[in-house]
Amino acid sequence: MTIELIAIDLDGTLLTNEKKISSKVKDTLAKAKEKGIKVVICTGRPLPGVMSFLKELNLEEVGDYAITYNGALVQETYDGNAIAHHTMSFDDFLEVEAMSQKIGVHCQTLDEKAIYTSNKDISPYTVRESSLVNMPIKYRSVEEMNPNLVISKMMMIDEPDVLDAGIAQFPSSFYEKYTVLKSEAFYLEVLNKAASKGQALKDLSDILSIPKENILAIGDNENDRDMLVFAGVGVAMGNAVEGIKAISDYITDTNELDGVATVIEKLVFNQ
């Protein structure tokens, strides 16, 4: 087996708890790229929220790619060109927004330019997300929302206990219609049913003609699950949630202990 592509989650995986890339991880990924291995960041963030890290890792050249919005969008990082985009319709927006109001949970909607919220009491988690991904917040009532908006994903956001109580009220039909997954204790992602990190990784591997057996994927949370299952080698971080450790082929060190570098050195450079 020869690894040709390394898919890496961002928060909790590539980044330390201080949202930094350690020098060891940076050097290891540079070495991987020099060997001709594709290094692909796979994140729930939009491209503006990851560009500084792509620049730091020299992953914004022609031939570099990123998976963003938890798999709703696969992009060329050089110019942002979309090579696969699974969007949500305005009817989806109305349904998810109505569900959030029914269960009493804050909701936000993202396109490629901004975060929209219909909550006048803007959630501090929306403010956090805005800062994290470098995108502005725009208040819009449901009636004011542009029906032609190209929606990449929606998020239900609230205090963990409030969010979990709301999730418990979802009918089974909601899961049948959308991809629904948790990326943080206070973030629930709602996407087009065809969108996920695993599906996006498949889309990209098909375009690049890379067999899944030659892909190594690294993650830490439930939104990484199908990406780790799809890849030939699925790796859980030492700080990963237990469910992700259980389905992974290998468990590496934590994000604070250069886990990404450790597993690449062991499974890729020594192959």
Side-chain angles (χ1 to χ4, degrees):
M1 176 186 66
T2 300
I3 297 299
E4 299 180 62
L5 188 154
I6 303 172
I8 312 172
D9 171 55
L10 191 66
D11 296 287
T13 301
L14 177 67
L15 302 182
T16 67
N17 294 340
E18 294 183 351
K19 305 301 181 185
K20 304 290 184 182
I21 303 173
S22 75
S23 58
K24 183 176 181 181
V25 169
K26 183 176 178 179
D27 290 345
T28 300
L29 294 180
K31 183 178 178 181
K33 185 175 181 180
E34 287 173 4
K35 289 178 174 291
I37 299 170
K38 292 288 185 184
V39 177
V40 180
I41 304 304
C42 306
T43 178
R45 300 190 192 196
L47 196 61
V50 73
M51 282 306 299
S52 63
F53 302 117
L54 293 172
K55 184 175 182 179
E56 184 177 354
L57 295 170
N58 193 31
L59 294 177
E60 54 178 359
E61 299 180 328
V62 174
D64 288 326
Y65 301 87
I67 291 172
T68 55
Y69 295 100
N70 268 318
L73 185 57
V74 183
Q75 298 173 269
E76 296 176 295
T77 60
Y78 176 71
D79 57 6
N81 179 55
I83 62 174
H85 197 182
H86 302 291
T87 60
M88 299 177 73
S89 69
F90 190 68
D91 285 343
D92 291 331
F93 161 75
L94 293 174
E95 182 173 348
V96 176
E97 179 70 29
M99 180 65 72
S100 74
Q101 293 182 19
K102 178 180 179 180
I103 65 176
V105 170
H106 285 83
C107 185
Q108 62 191 32
T109 302
L110 287 82
D111 66 2
E112 292 187 58
K113 297 180 180 179
I115 299 172
Y116 301 86
T117 179
S118 299
N119 305 109
K120 287 185 177 180
D121 59 330
I122 296 175
S123 169
Y125 293 117
T126 294
V127 176
R128 177 187 186 273
E129 180 76 358
S130 173
S131 174
L132 194 68
V133 304
N134 299 315
M135 293 176 74
I137 300 170
K138 296 186 178 182
Y139 169 75
R140 297 287 188 275
S141 68
V142 173
E143 294 73 24
E144 292 171 332
M145 282 290 283
N146 178 3
N148 297 315
L149 199 68
V150 179
I151 301 171
S152 290
K153 72 173 182 178
M154 296 182 69
M155 300 171 69
M156 294 191 187
I157 51 171
D158 229 304
E159 297 297 333
D161 57 339
V162 174
L163 183 58
D164 288 343
I167 293 170
Q169 300 178 56
F170 286 161
S172 58
S173 58
F174 195 73
Y175 292 97
E176 293 167 0
K177 188 168 185 179
Y178 302 106
T179 293
V180 182
L181 48 86
K182 256 192 171 183
S183 54
E184 297 274 6
F186 37 78
Y187 286 156
L188 183 82
E189 316 260 343
V190 184
L191 306 99
N192 181 309
K193 188 65 176 178
S196 70
K197 288 186 180 182
Q199 181 58 52
L201 189 54
K202 181 181 184 302
D203 290 340
L204 181 57
S205 66
D206 287 344
I207 291 167
L208 298 176
S209 297
I210 296 176
K212 69 177 185 177
E213 292 78 13
N214 295 1
I215 297 175
L216 183 145
I218 314 170
D220 74 303
N221 219 322
E222 286 297 334
N223 58 324
D224 302 315
R225 176 179 289 269
D226 71 337
M227 176 177 78
L228 302 189
V229 170
F230 171 78
V233 182
V235 179
M237 298 296 291
N239 52 285
V241 297
E242 291 305 314
I244 292 303
K245 289 180 179 179
I247 56 92
S248 295
D249 301 304
Y250 187 85
I251 300 174
T252 187
D253 292 328
T254 70
N255 61 325
E256 289 288 281
L257 295 175
D258 303 317
V260 167
T262 301
V263 72
I264 291 174
E265 290 173 349
K266 183 171 184 177
L267 299 185
V268 179
F269 294 163
N270 292 327
Q271 62 188 355

